[in-house]
Amino acid sequence: MGPLSPARTLRLWGPRSLGVALGVFMTIGFLLLDAPHLLPGPQLRQPLAPSLRPALPSCPPRQRLVFLKTHKSGSSSVLSLLHRYGDRHGLRFALPARYQFGYPRLFQASRVKGYSPQTGGTQLPFHILCHHMRFNLKEVLQVMPSDSFFFSIVRDPAALARSAFSYYKSTSSAFRKSPSLAAFLANPRAFYRPGARGDHYARNLLWFDFGLPFPPEKRAKRGNLHPPRDPDPRQLQVLPSGAGPRAQTLNPNALIHPVSTVADHRSQISSPASFDLGSSSFIQWGLAWLDSVFDLVMVAEYFDESLVLLADALCWGLDDVVGFMHNAQAGRKQDLSTFSNTGLTVEDQQLTARARAWNNLDWALYVHFNRSLWARIEKYGQRRLQTAVAELRARREALAKHCLAGGEASDPKYITDHRFRPFQFGSAKVLGYILRSGLSPQDQEECERLATPELQYKDKLDAKQFPPTVSLPLKTSRPLSP
Ligand SMILES: Nc1ncnc2c1ncn2[C@@H]1O[C@H](COP(=O)(O)OS(=O)(=O)O)[C@@H](OP(=O)(O)O)[C@H]1O
């Protein structure tokens, strides 16, 4: 084994063990933050072919991938493209026995179907690890090579909270007890008990999924029991609008204490709605650790921009990443996740601010990766990105018109073919797709790939990788001797 790079060395340390020696590593975290970015810059390719037909590759496509599938963040749409790519190229997936790797427990290599530590390298290697897990690097590296491409996706915690509340209403005890998300966020302590069943869905779900440790919570000081003031909305207007990169305008206070600046709202920092889940250095340490592990973190609000960067980093064509939205709940207002408050009611604005404050670790994660994404876009080139995003969208629209009845997603009650009906869970309907009739056999196959929901696709890959063994009766030409 050759010398380990700093990034590789950090990868090999699990966040939980590092959590124990936090004091020491916080210092390292600070040093890392001051150091130049640890990751290589994006691999630049030749401009993508306008037709989206695969251009002659200028670099070998990367096919060893670890995707951390975070919850309620657009991750099923990413999974769909990984399933399709792996299926088309005959890649081997590291699959769970059912649909998740022992979640919410930390990932264990032993949960991977067909993994056997005893075979000492004789087993066929895996290419893609991508189903729901709570990330645990040490165990992931038992299954996947350390030079795999590690990536994930984050979403604005306010949009994520709306999605999670309706989806996990009956799963999380905190959500179950609460009549509405607004009621929950107005007084989360009345409902939320850390460690209670399913309550990881109710607070800092991204931080949890990334496998980061949680610091012990500080209680509100005595004599400071007045209700929290609403977060200062100016502190939350720090992210770029859809139009461009404004990461530089991020207020560092927002990264550390999303609720307030120390100067003007000192009392809020220990208020019930903004319990200080750890110091700024703890958060910075966690973010530096993630930077050292993950090659790319996509942002759901900039999904298409993220896809273009993903295709570039993997040396894939745009056709490899174009796909339909999966796992969307019917009737949900996606635009509530936008960063500008225009068009939002006062209640919506308040809910957004409270959700970000309650999920303060996720907000820090989100702000951090939003900034990295836009730094990456700068390097890639804004114009070039806009052109690629426009091509991607045009291609998606053309595929939707060609493949789908009505050219769009359908209410599940109309989806009678069980191969395309998405798993229904939570209080809202999950939309799916109906294929147009009369497609050519070749188009039918490709459209099926695009429309197949994640559970059915996982079953299909499972059956392909582990064909059922039929035990045939032993044929003998002569009678067996006794
Ligand atoms: N492309 C794209 N861009 C932005 N948002 C998207 C995208 N694809 C899916 N979604 C939204 O993500 C929500 C589902 O997330 P997940 O697939 O991660 O959920 S799950 O944890 O696997 O159940 C779900 O959010 P809600 O509809 O708000 O529940 C989807 O609408």
Side-chain angles (χ1 to χ4, degrees):
M1 208 200 227
L4 291 172
S5 66
R8 183 77 50 80
T9 309
L10 275 170
R11 275 187 174 187
L12 292 170
W13 285 79
R16 296 184 76 77
S17 50
L18 281 176
V20 176
L22 199 54
V24 178
F25 282 88
M26 279 196 305
T27 319
I28 295 173
F30 277 130
L31 291 174
L32 286 172
L33 284 173
D34 287 342
H37 204 273
L38 289 166
L39 301 172
Q43 292 172 305
L44 296 177
R45 302 176 64 218
Q46 286 160 359
L48 292 149
S51 65
L52 292 188
R53 267 184 237 111
L56 281 180
S58 55
C59 42
R62 296 192 64 168
Q63 298 191 327
R64 293 296 175 93
L65 312 172
V66 175
F67 173 61
L68 172 63
K69 187 179 188 302
T70 49
H71 284 81
K72 308 321 295 173
S73 56
S75 65
S76 304
S77 302
V78 180
L79 200 70
S80 167
L81 72 90
L82 293 176
H83 280 161
R84 282 177 355 243
Y85 184 92
D87 191 15
R88 255 193 254 116
H89 292 83
L91 305 183
R92 270 170 57 83
F93 286 81
L95 296 172
R98 288 179 53 74
Y99 299 106
Q100 312 192 348
F101 292 107
Y103 189 87
R105 282 186 292 279
L106 285 163
F107 175 82
Q108 296 295 321
S110 57
R111 293 268 180 179
V112 175
K113 250 182 121 171
Y115 166 76
S116 86
Q118 279 81 30
T119 51
T122 53
Q123 68 176 40
L124 290 171
F126 294 113
H127 295 96
I128 302 180
L129 173 65
C130 61
H131 293 90
H132 275 307
M133 67 163 81
R134 186 170 185 215
F135 191 68
N136 183 4
L137 180 64
K138 193 163 159 265
E139 288 288 314
V140 166
L141 292 175
Q142 301 292 316
V143 181
M144 299 296 298
S146 63
D147 62 354
S148 304
F149 186 84
F150 282 66
F151 70 116
S152 188
I153 182 164
V154 295
R155 187 182 188 189
D156 182 341
L160 197 151
R162 288 178 171 95
S163 177
F165 187 83
S166 68
Y167 202 78
Y168 298 116
K169 180 85 175 85
S170 60
T171 314
S172 151
S173 64
F175 286 164
R176 199 171 44 238
K177 284 183 268 173
S178 151
S180 65
L181 181 60
F184 174 75
L185 290 171
N187 188 10
R189 289 281 155 196
F191 307 101
Y192 174 84
R193 299 276 169 276
R197 194 178 154 269
D199 277 3
H200 62 282
Y201 291 120
R203 190 178 198 190
N204 291 316
L205 181 53
L206 290 171
W207 192 271
F208 182 88
D209 284 356
F210 275 100
L212 292 166
F214 284 79
E217 290 189 24
K218 284 185 201 152
R219 292 270 150 197
K221 287 191 191 114
R222 257 188 295 154
N224 189 21
L225 298 175
H226 53 79
R229 271 189 270 164
D230 291 336
D232 179 350
R234 282 167 306 165
Q235 289 299 313
L236 302 171
Q237 298 310 304
V238 292
L239 295 164
S241 73
R246 277 21 87 197
Q248 294 84 336
T249 63
L250 286 168
N251 181 338
N253 285 325
L255 181 66
I256 296 163
H257 295 293
V259 176
S260 59
T261 60
V262 175
D264 54 5
H265 297 302
R266 189 182 298 273
S267 63
Q268 284 186 2
I269 289 169
S270 55
S271 69
S274 60
F275 270 35
D276 188 357
L277 267 191
S279 63
S280 63
S281 50
F282 172 80
I283 295 174
Q284 298 293 3
W285 163 80
L287 299 177
W289 187 80
L290 293 180
D291 276 344
S292 74
V293 172
F294 285 87
D295 297 297
L296 173 69
V297 176
M298 303 168 65
V299 174
E301 281 72 17
Y302 300 105
F303 195 81
D304 291 342
E305 289 81 354
S306 298
L307 286 180
V308 171
L309 294 179
L310 179 69
D312 182 64
L314 298 180
C315 196
W316 290 11
L318 274 193
D319 266 339
D320 295 323
V321 296
V322 75
F324 302 147
M325 195 189 251
H326 284 267
N327 225 1
Q329 298 184 77
R332 298 196 33 77
K333 290 186 250 164
Q334 300 297 336
D335 57 350
L336 285 179
S337 61
T338 53
F339 314 116
S340 92
N341 280 336
T342 44
L344 296 189
T345 62
V346 174
E347 289 77 28
D348 280 336
Q349 288 178 33
Q350 187 181 58
L351 195 140
T352 294
R354 285 182 170 167
R356 288 171 178 170
W358 172 245
N359 296 287
N360 63 333
L361 298 176
D362 281 8
W363 176 240
L365 258 181
Y366 182 75
V367 171
H368 178 76
F369 287 121
N370 191 296
R371 176 158 48 190
S372 326
L373 186 89
W374 284 97
R376 216 164 161 133
I377 289 172
E378 282 294 318
K379 278 196 194 158
Y380 183 90
Q382 289 251 19
R383 273 270 180 87
R384 193 174 154 221
L385 185 96
Q386 276 166 13
T387 310
V389 165
E391 283 176 19
L392 184 84
R393 289 180 180 161
R395 179 68 173 145
R396 180 183 294 131
E397 215 180 302
L399 284 170
K401 274 195 188 131
H402 187 68
C403 293
L404 305 176
E408 58 181 16
S410 298
D411 186 305
K413 74 178 173 208
Y414 301 117
I415 307 175
T416 48
D417 188 335
H418 69 275
R419 292 175 305 155
F420 303 117
R421 192 169 193 275
F423 177 58
Q424 298 297 311
F425 193 75
S427 52
K429 292 174 190 168
V430 178
L431 301 175
Y433 299 102
I434 301 170
L435 293 193
R436 232 165 40 83
S437 49
L439 293 166
S440 71
Q442 211 184 346
D443 288 356
Q444 175 78 23
E445 190 184 346
E446 201 44 44
C447 293
E448 282 185 8
R449 283 191 172 129
L450 285 158
T452 303
E454 68 177 276
L455 302 191
Q456 287 92 326
Y457 218 135
K458 187 262 163 185
D459 288 341
K460 185 178 152 187
L461 294 167
D462 205 323
K464 187 172 163 186
Q465 253 175 242
F466 303 97
T469 46
V470 187
S471 48
L472 296 168
L474 207 61
K475 271 196 195 160
T476 52
S477 52
R478 57 194 166 96
L480 291 168
S481 52

